Short mmCIF file of all heavy atoms in Angstrom, two decimals:
data_model
loop_
_atom_site.label_atom_id
_atom_site.label_comp_id
_atom_site.label_asym_id
_atom_site.label_seq_id
_atom_site.Cartn_x
_atom_site.Cartn_y
_atom_site.Cartn_z
N ARG A 214 84.75 138.19 139.85
CA ARG A 214 83.34 138.08 140.20
C ARG A 214 82.63 137.30 139.09
O ARG A 214 82.46 137.81 137.99
CB ARG A 214 82.73 139.48 140.39
CG ARG A 214 83.35 140.26 141.55
CD ARG A 214 82.70 141.63 141.74
NE ARG A 214 83.19 142.30 142.95
CZ ARG A 214 84.19 143.16 142.97
NH1 ARG A 214 84.84 143.45 141.86
NH2 ARG A 214 84.57 143.72 144.11
N ALA A 215 82.26 136.06 139.41
CA ALA A 215 81.68 135.16 138.42
C ALA A 215 80.21 134.90 138.73
O ALA A 215 79.82 134.81 139.91
CB ALA A 215 82.44 133.84 138.39
N SER A 216 79.41 134.76 137.67
CA SER A 216 78.01 134.40 137.79
C SER A 216 77.73 133.19 136.91
O SER A 216 78.20 133.14 135.77
CB SER A 216 77.11 135.56 137.35
OG SER A 216 77.30 136.70 138.16
N LEU A 217 77.00 132.21 137.45
CA LEU A 217 76.64 131.01 136.71
C LEU A 217 75.19 130.66 137.04
O LEU A 217 74.70 130.97 138.12
CB LEU A 217 77.52 129.82 137.09
CG LEU A 217 79.03 129.93 137.01
CD1 LEU A 217 79.62 130.47 138.30
CD2 LEU A 217 79.64 128.56 136.71
N SER A 218 74.53 129.99 136.12
CA SER A 218 73.22 129.46 136.43
C SER A 218 73.33 128.44 137.57
O SER A 218 74.29 127.65 137.62
CB SER A 218 72.61 128.78 135.20
OG SER A 218 71.45 128.04 135.55
N ALA A 219 72.37 128.46 138.49
CA ALA A 219 72.38 127.50 139.59
C ALA A 219 72.27 126.07 139.08
O ALA A 219 72.61 125.12 139.81
CB ALA A 219 71.23 127.80 140.55
N GLU A 220 71.86 125.91 137.86
CA GLU A 220 71.80 124.57 137.25
C GLU A 220 73.18 123.95 137.19
O GLU A 220 73.35 122.74 137.40
CB GLU A 220 71.21 124.67 135.85
CG GLU A 220 71.23 123.36 135.05
CD GLU A 220 70.80 123.55 133.62
OE1 GLU A 220 70.25 124.61 133.29
OE2 GLU A 220 71.02 122.60 132.82
N PHE A 221 74.20 124.77 136.94
CA PHE A 221 75.56 124.28 136.82
C PHE A 221 76.28 124.25 138.17
O PHE A 221 77.21 123.47 138.36
CB PHE A 221 76.36 125.14 135.84
CG PHE A 221 75.83 125.12 134.44
CD1 PHE A 221 75.37 126.29 133.85
CD2 PHE A 221 75.77 123.96 133.72
CE1 PHE A 221 74.89 126.30 132.56
CE2 PHE A 221 75.27 123.93 132.42
CZ PHE A 221 74.83 125.10 131.85
N LEU A 222 75.86 125.12 139.07
CA LEU A 222 76.51 125.18 140.39
C LEU A 222 75.43 125.39 141.45
O LEU A 222 75.25 126.50 141.96
CB LEU A 222 77.53 126.32 140.41
CG LEU A 222 78.47 126.37 141.62
CD1 LEU A 222 79.37 125.14 141.67
CD2 LEU A 222 79.30 127.64 141.61
N PRO A 223 74.71 124.32 141.82
CA PRO A 223 73.61 124.47 142.77
C PRO A 223 74.05 124.85 144.18
O PRO A 223 73.27 125.42 144.94
CB PRO A 223 72.94 123.09 142.76
CG PRO A 223 73.98 122.15 142.23
CD PRO A 223 74.82 122.94 141.30
N ASP A 224 75.31 124.55 144.54
CA ASP A 224 75.81 124.90 145.87
C ASP A 224 77.18 125.55 145.73
O ASP A 224 78.20 124.86 145.65
CB ASP A 224 75.91 123.65 146.75
CG ASP A 224 76.33 123.99 148.19
OD1 ASP A 224 76.49 125.19 148.50
OD2 ASP A 224 76.47 123.05 148.99
N PRO A 225 77.24 126.89 145.67
CA PRO A 225 78.53 127.59 145.50
C PRO A 225 79.53 127.28 146.60
O PRO A 225 80.72 127.46 146.40
CB PRO A 225 78.12 129.06 145.51
CG PRO A 225 76.67 129.08 145.15
CD PRO A 225 76.11 127.81 145.71
N ARG A 226 79.07 126.83 147.76
CA ARG A 226 79.99 126.54 148.85
C ARG A 226 80.90 125.35 148.58
O ARG A 226 81.88 125.13 149.28
CB ARG A 226 79.21 126.30 150.14
CG ARG A 226 78.48 127.52 150.67
CD ARG A 226 77.57 127.18 151.83
NE ARG A 226 76.53 126.24 151.40
CZ ARG A 226 75.60 125.73 152.22
NH1 ARG A 226 75.60 126.08 153.50
NH2 ARG A 226 74.70 124.90 151.77
N THR A 227 80.58 124.56 147.53
CA THR A 227 81.45 123.42 147.18
C THR A 227 82.74 123.87 146.49
O THR A 227 83.68 123.10 146.38
CB THR A 227 80.70 122.44 146.27
OG1 THR A 227 80.30 123.12 145.07
CG2 THR A 227 79.47 121.87 146.97
N VAL A 228 82.75 125.13 146.01
CA VAL A 228 83.96 125.63 145.34
C VAL A 228 84.99 125.96 146.40
O VAL A 228 84.74 126.78 147.30
CB VAL A 228 83.65 126.87 144.49
CG1 VAL A 228 84.94 127.41 143.86
CG2 VAL A 228 82.63 126.54 143.41
N ASP A 229 86.15 125.34 146.27
CA ASP A 229 87.25 125.59 147.22
C ASP A 229 88.26 126.53 146.60
O ASP A 229 88.26 127.73 146.84
CB ASP A 229 87.87 124.27 147.63
CG ASP A 229 88.96 124.45 148.68
OD1 ASP A 229 89.01 125.53 149.29
OD2 ASP A 229 89.74 123.51 148.89
N THR A 230 89.14 125.98 145.76
CA THR A 230 90.17 126.82 145.12
C THR A 230 89.85 127.11 143.66
O THR A 230 90.02 128.22 143.20
CB THR A 230 91.55 126.17 145.22
OG1 THR A 230 91.49 124.86 144.66
CG2 THR A 230 92.00 126.09 146.68
N SER A 231 89.37 126.10 142.92
CA SER A 231 89.17 126.25 141.49
C SER A 231 87.72 126.02 141.11
O SER A 231 87.18 124.92 141.32
CB SER A 231 90.07 125.28 140.72
OG SER A 231 89.78 125.31 139.33
N LEU A 232 87.09 127.02 140.53
CA LEU A 232 85.72 126.87 140.01
C LEU A 232 85.70 125.86 138.88
O LEU A 232 84.80 125.01 138.81
CB LEU A 232 85.21 128.22 139.51
CG LEU A 232 83.90 128.21 138.71
CD1 LEU A 232 82.75 127.65 139.52
CD2 LEU A 232 83.58 129.60 138.18
N TYR A 233 86.69 125.93 137.98
CA TYR A 233 86.69 125.02 136.84
C TYR A 233 86.86 123.56 137.27
O TYR A 233 86.31 122.65 136.64
CB TYR A 233 87.79 125.41 135.85
CG TYR A 233 87.43 126.62 135.00
CD1 TYR A 233 86.27 127.35 135.25
CD2 TYR A 233 88.25 127.02 133.96
CE1 TYR A 233 85.94 128.44 134.48
CE2 TYR A 233 87.93 128.13 133.18
CZ TYR A 233 86.77 128.84 133.45
OH TYR A 233 86.43 129.93 132.68
N ALA A 234 87.62 123.31 138.32
CA ALA A 234 87.76 121.95 138.83
C ALA A 234 86.42 121.43 139.33
O ALA A 234 86.10 120.25 139.16
CB ALA A 234 88.81 121.90 139.93
N GLU A 235 85.63 122.30 139.94
CA GLU A 235 84.31 121.90 140.44
C GLU A 235 83.36 121.64 139.27
O GLU A 235 82.59 120.67 139.28
CB GLU A 235 83.74 122.99 141.35
CG GLU A 235 82.48 122.60 142.09
CD GLU A 235 82.65 121.43 143.05
OE1 GLU A 235 83.77 121.27 143.59
OE2 GLU A 235 81.67 120.68 143.25
N LEU A 236 83.41 122.48 138.25
CA LEU A 236 82.55 122.28 137.08
C LEU A 236 82.95 121.03 136.31
O LEU A 236 82.11 120.40 135.65
CB LEU A 236 82.62 123.51 136.17
CG LEU A 236 82.03 124.81 136.73
CD1 LEU A 236 82.28 125.96 135.78
CD2 LEU A 236 80.54 124.65 137.03
N GLU A 237 84.23 120.67 136.38
CA GLU A 237 84.70 119.47 135.69
C GLU A 237 83.99 118.22 136.20
O GLU A 237 83.75 117.27 135.44
CB GLU A 237 86.21 119.33 135.92
CG GLU A 237 86.89 118.25 135.11
CD GLU A 237 87.25 118.70 133.72
OE1 GLU A 237 87.99 119.69 133.57
OE2 GLU A 237 86.77 118.04 132.77
N LYS A 238 83.63 118.22 137.48
CA LYS A 238 82.99 117.04 138.08
C LYS A 238 81.64 116.73 137.45
O LYS A 238 81.22 115.58 137.42
CB LYS A 238 82.81 117.27 139.59
CG LYS A 238 84.11 117.42 140.37
CD LYS A 238 83.84 117.73 141.82
CE LYS A 238 85.13 117.96 142.61
NZ LYS A 238 84.84 118.32 144.04
N THR A 239 80.96 117.76 136.95
CA THR A 239 79.66 117.56 136.31
C THR A 239 79.72 117.78 134.81
O THR A 239 78.70 117.99 134.17
CB THR A 239 78.61 118.52 136.94
OG1 THR A 239 79.07 119.87 136.79
CG2 THR A 239 78.41 118.21 138.41
N ARG A 240 80.94 117.74 134.28
CA ARG A 240 81.16 117.94 132.84
C ARG A 240 80.58 119.26 132.34
O ARG A 240 80.05 119.37 131.24
CB ARG A 240 80.58 116.78 132.03
CG ARG A 240 81.19 115.43 132.36
CD ARG A 240 80.63 114.32 131.51
NE ARG A 240 81.24 113.04 131.85
CZ ARG A 240 80.92 111.86 131.28
NH1 ARG A 240 79.98 111.84 130.33
NH2 ARG A 240 81.51 110.75 131.64
N SER A 241 80.70 120.27 133.20
CA SER A 241 80.18 121.60 132.86
C SER A 241 81.31 122.62 132.71
O SER A 241 81.07 123.82 132.72
CB SER A 241 79.21 122.08 133.95
OG SER A 241 78.11 121.21 134.07
N ARG A 242 82.53 122.13 132.56
CA ARG A 242 83.66 123.05 132.41
C ARG A 242 83.59 123.73 131.04
O ARG A 242 83.31 123.08 130.03
CB ARG A 242 84.98 122.31 132.54
CG ARG A 242 86.17 123.23 132.33
CD ARG A 242 87.49 122.55 132.57
NE ARG A 242 88.58 123.47 132.24
CZ ARG A 242 89.70 123.56 132.94
NH1 ARG A 242 89.88 122.80 133.99
NH2 ARG A 242 90.64 124.40 132.57
N PRO A 243 83.83 125.05 130.99
CA PRO A 243 83.79 125.75 129.70
C PRO A 243 84.85 125.22 128.74
O PRO A 243 85.94 124.84 129.15
CB PRO A 243 84.10 127.21 130.08
CG PRO A 243 83.78 127.30 131.54
CD PRO A 243 84.07 125.96 132.12
N MET A 244 84.48 125.22 127.46
CA MET A 244 85.39 124.76 126.42
C MET A 244 85.94 125.91 125.58
O MET A 244 86.97 125.76 124.93
CB MET A 244 84.67 123.74 125.52
CG MET A 244 84.17 122.52 126.26
SD MET A 244 85.47 121.62 127.14
CE MET A 244 86.47 121.04 125.77
N ARG A 245 85.25 127.02 125.59
CA ARG A 245 85.74 128.20 124.86
C ARG A 245 85.17 129.44 125.54
O ARG A 245 84.23 129.34 126.34
CB ARG A 245 85.36 128.16 123.38
CG ARG A 245 83.87 128.30 123.13
CD ARG A 245 83.56 128.24 121.63
NE ARG A 245 82.13 128.46 121.38
CZ ARG A 245 81.59 129.65 121.17
NH1 ARG A 245 82.36 130.75 121.17
NH2 ARG A 245 80.30 129.78 120.95
N ALA A 246 85.73 130.59 125.21
CA ALA A 246 85.26 131.83 125.83
C ALA A 246 85.57 133.01 124.92
O ALA A 246 86.48 132.97 124.08
CB ALA A 246 85.93 132.03 127.19
N ILE A 247 84.78 134.03 125.08
CA ILE A 247 85.05 135.33 124.45
C ILE A 247 85.42 136.29 125.56
O ILE A 247 84.68 136.43 126.55
CB ILE A 247 83.82 135.84 123.68
CG1 ILE A 247 83.50 134.89 122.52
CG2 ILE A 247 84.06 137.25 123.16
CD1 ILE A 247 82.24 135.24 121.77
N GLN A 248 86.56 136.95 125.42
CA GLN A 248 87.09 137.78 126.48
C GLN A 248 87.38 139.18 125.95
O GLN A 248 87.97 139.36 124.89
CB GLN A 248 88.38 137.13 127.01
CG GLN A 248 88.93 137.74 128.27
CD GLN A 248 89.90 136.80 128.98
OE1 GLN A 248 89.52 136.08 129.88
NE2 GLN A 248 91.15 136.81 128.57
#
Side-chain angles (χ1 to χ4, degrees):
R214 296 181 173 94
S216 299
L217 307 88
S218 169
E220 174 187 346
F221 298 118
L222 190 64
D224 185 2
R226 293 172 299 178
T227 59
V228 177
D229 184 15
T230 55
S231 173
L232 169 61
Y233 283 7
E235 189 63 29
L236 293 175
E237 188 84 58
K238 297 176 183 178
T239 57
R240 299 182 180 178
S241 300
R242 178 175 175 141
M244 300 303 294
R245 67 181 183 90
I247 295 175
Q248 190 161 264

